[in-house]
Amino acid sequence: MGDYIEEAEKAKYDDYVKKVTPTTNVFMNVLKAFLVGGIICLIGQIIGGRAEAMGLDKELAAGWTNIFLIAATVILTGLNIYPKIGKFGGAGALVPITGFANSVVAPAVEFKTEGQVFGIGCKIFNIAGPVILYGIFSSWILGLIYWALMVIGII
């Protein structure tokens, strides 16, 4: 009898989970991510192309493109527009430069009521801090491995 009650409870719980779990349309999510990411990259390409047309070399134009995209993301995050873009576009809004800029600014905006030091200063690297830390650490390790392989003569 105990097994029957457990099965009935499990079935009841499974029905509840199906009822409250939102359904997603994978095709639409992929399409939205593609469109949002594509539009962000297109904007970057336009900025870079305009900078090159104004006489900047490719490397300098890329630097100015990054600066513009970061500044635009910071402003849009501060105005609470970028989170709406992210909610609509999902992974497409995580195009590396804009997604990283948003991840740095969003906690600072969220905790600004706690003050300059304990709010913005402490919370600004909540998400980006580990990314920076592990990025630098892993590049150091890979550089060490590369150096060791050069000393051995493999590379």
Side-chain angles (χ1 to χ4, degrees):
M1 176 108 184
D3 289 337
Y4 177 75
I5 293 173
E6 287 178 16
E7 287 181 29
E9 290 293 320
K10 185 179 180 321
K12 198 171 162 183
Y13 177 75
D14 288 343
D15 289 341
Y16 170 74
V17 169
K18 286 179 185 174
K19 192 185 306 181
V20 296
T21 303
T23 58
T24 59
N25 184 336
V26 175
F27 177 77
M28 285 305 293
N29 288 346
V30 170
L31 182 63
K32 288 177 184 179
F34 178 77
L35 289 174
V36 169
I39 289 169
I40 292 170
C41 291
L42 177 64
I43 291 168
Q45 281 296 119
I46 291 169
I47 295 166
R50 294 297 305 147
E52 285 185 45
M54 292 171 45
L56 298 178
D57 64 6
K58 195 171 191 111
E59 191 173 308
L60 198 54
W64 279 106
T65 301
N66 288 338
I67 289 169
F68 180 83
L69 288 173
I70 290 168
T73 302
V74 166
I75 292 167
L76 291 174
T77 300
L79 296 173
N80 201 29
I81 296 171
Y82 199 85
K84 292 174 185 170
I85 295 170
K87 187 172 182 174
F88 174 79
L94 298 177
V95 174
I97 194 94
T98 56
F100 188 71
N102 178 59
S103 72
V104 171
V105 175
V109 170
E110 183 179 346
F111 291 98
K112 70 181 176 183
T113 57
E114 294 181 23
Q116 295 290 320
V117 175
F118 293 112
I120 296 171
C122 291
K123 301 295 183 178
I124 196 163
F125 290 112
N126 268 6
I127 296 171
V131 174
I132 294 169
L133 170 71
Y134 291 116
I136 291 171
F137 181 72
S138 63
S139 66
W140 182 81
I141 293 293
L142 290 173
L144 193 60
I145 292 169
Y146 180 75
W147 173 79
L149 292 175
M150 281 182 54
V151 168
I152 295 171
I154 295 176
I155 296 179

